[in-house]
Amino acid sequence: ITIFSVFLFVLLAAFAATDPKTVRRGLNSQSIEGGLILVVRYVLFWILYGLATSCFAAAIPKGERLTFLDFSRLIGQAALSWAIGYTVFVVPGGWGIRELAFTHLLSRDFSESIVFVLPVLSRLAQILAEILCGGAFSLMWWLNLRVRRPKV
């Protein structure tokens, strides 16, 4: 389950990147169609993030069994904690604030084994996914440059 969770975070990072067709033709967020596409992508982004966090919670040893309601709560709590982290402008990227908010939100519904481990574990998995995706995209960009370079 842990490997699947990291895979979901990598998929999430790849999903968050805009697809090349959208970049070429330019997504107009001023239009109704463009705005709806952005909203749908944003909602799917947070559902995937919450699902990955829920998988981590299910993989924690000595944690309780999670029900469908617990998974849905975790999706909402993960998204809300990120929103709280973004609204605090003093701390760059919400570091620490997001984890405190997530811990507080989790403490109402889950045992201590999940409350104290899950925020840190999800942050570490996100960092790992960003490093993996950054490396993969950098390698793809570098290879693309080598292929396109005119031969003199």
Side-chain angles (χ1 to χ4, degrees), residues 1-132:
I1 291 179
T2 304
I3 293 171
F4 178 70
S5 301
V6 172
F7 171 74
L8 277 177
F9 274 111
V10 170
L11 178 67
L12 180 65
F15 177 77
T18 308
D19 61 272
K21 290 180 187 175
T22 306
V23 171
R24 267 186 260 134
R25 72 166 195 239
L27 180 62
N28 183 3
S29 62
Q30 302 290 326
S31 71
I32 293 175
E33 177 188 330
L36 287 175
I37 290 171
L38 289 175
V39 168
V40 167
R41 288 185 75 163
Y42 189 72
V43 168
L44 288 174
F45 174 87
W46 286 112
I47 289 172
L48 277 174
Y49 182 82
L51 183 62
T53 305
S54 298
C55 289
F56 271 125
I60 293 175
K62 297 183 182 177
E64 65 261 14
R65 276 190 84 100
L66 300 178
T67 64
F68 178 75
L69 182 62
D70 293 333
F71 276 91
S72 61
R73 277 191 203 137
L74 279 167
I75 290 171
Q77 290 168 338
L80 182 59
S81 68
W82 272 98
I84 291 168
Y86 280 133
T87 58
V88 178
F89 298 110
V90 180
V91 181
W95 280 70
I97 301 299
R98 185 201 75 88
E99 285 77 13
L100 285 173
F102 199 24
T103 301
H104 176 70
L105 291 170
L106 289 173
S107 66
R108 298 179 306 147
D109 299 320
F110 299 101
S111 67
E112 289 181 9
S113 63
I114 291 178
V115 169
F116 294 113
V117 175
L118 190 59
V120 176
L121 188 61
S122 65
R123 175 66 84 168
L124 291 175
Q126 179 199 4
I127 291 170
L128 177 64
E130 288 175 358
I131 290 170
L132 290 173

